[in-house]
Amino acid sequence: MILYSMIDSGNCYKPRLLMAKLGLAFTTVEVSSHTGDTRKADFVAKNPNAMVPLLELDDGRRLAESNAILLYLAEGTRLLPADKYERGLAYQWLFFEQYSHEPYIAVRKALLTFPERAADATPERLAVTLERGNKALGVMNTYLENNDFFAGAFSIADIALYAYTHTAEQGGFQLDAYPAVAAWLSRVEADLGHVPIERVPSTT
């Protein structure tokens, strides 16, 4: 398999982390939105949405969207719950991550750290992303006060939420205000096969 990816993207980190945990053979190809690579014709031909990650399967078929890739790769493994309710919880938190978490926590980090996004970092937008990102962290913290993970045992729900939460302080969020989240981050990092975001564990 080939994973078209960007090293500093949390969305791209999700499938890299999952594949490392599952011991899946894959090759990474760096396609950076910072340099416009995702908008070049050869890549747009592969993914008309002009975004990474993009997974190309051995037979040439392709799959985009980070959480869809997680669901596909985790099928039949310990990282997608077999129990119907816990599986529903995994879906719930995957949707939460993309709708209520990533648009604020990830975007605020991008506004503050990517030079090409500086013009978008208006006081109003920074205030909104801070408020709503803190709301998402609060929701997570409340749930984690009574649960070790988000869908029973460790699962792709945790991978999806970990990707941008563990770097949230780069966006100005204070994780020490959310002790249950901080403890959960440590549990995620202790799970077998963990690799950090800056490492690309590809197998060629």
Side-chain angles (χ1 to χ4, degrees):
M1 294 185 289
I2 300 172
L3 181 69
Y4 298 90
S5 178
M6 190 167 68
I7 190 62
D8 56 359
S9 162
N11 279 327
C12 295
Y13 175 45
K14 296 174 195 176
R16 290 204 312 269
L17 178 55
L18 176 60
M19 287 191 280
K21 286 181 172 294
L22 295 177
L24 297 176
F26 69 103
T27 298
T28 56
V29 174
E30 182 76 4
V31 183
S32 176
S33 64
H34 304 316
T35 59
D37 289 346
T38 56
R39 297 182 295 278
K40 291 180 179 177
D42 58 343
F43 185 75
V44 173
K46 294 180 173 68
N47 182 12
N49 202 26
M51 297 176 69
V52 286
L54 176 69
L55 181 68
E56 186 169 287
L57 306 179
D58 293 336
D59 61 9
R61 291 180 297 172
R62 302 184 185 99
L63 189 62
E65 301 298 332
S66 60
N67 289 352
I69 295 171
L70 292 184
L71 285 165
Y72 172 80
L73 292 173
E75 187 72 33
T77 76
R78 71 178 180 94
L79 296 174
L80 186 61
D83 176 81
K84 185 176 181 180
Y85 176 71
E86 290 181 348
R87 196 181 185 99
L89 281 177
Y91 294 148
Q92 170 190 305
W93 288 108
L94 290 175
F95 298 145
F96 170 86
E97 189 269 340
Q98 285 289 279
Y99 185 79
S100 300
H101 181 281
E102 191 268 357
Y104 309 113
I105 294 176
V107 168
R108 196 170 200 277
K109 175 190 170 186
L111 292 172
L112 292 173
T113 61
F114 296 159
E116 67 270 22
R117 299 293 300 274
D120 299 325
T122 63
E124 294 79 12
R125 192 165 189 198
L126 289 174
V128 168
T129 51
L130 183 63
E131 176 190 358
R132 296 183 183 176
N134 276 316
K135 179 182 178 182
L137 290 169
V139 170
M140 293 169 61
N141 197 76
T142 297
Y143 186 81
L144 290 167
E145 287 175 343
N146 298 300
N147 298 275
D148 286 341
F149 298 107
F150 283 100
F154 181 87
S155 74
I156 57 172
D158 300 286
I159 290 176
L161 285 163
Y162 176 83
Y164 283 112
T165 301
H166 85 289
T167 59
E169 290 182 338
Q170 296 177 30
F173 296 97
Q174 302 300 316
L175 292 180
D176 56 4
Y178 305 98
V181 171
W184 163 77
L185 290 174
S186 295
R187 290 193 293 273
V188 171
E189 291 161 6
D191 185 77
L192 185 66
H194 184 80
V195 293
I197 189 170
E198 63 271 13
R199 178 181 164 194
V200 183
S202 61
T203 303
T204 57

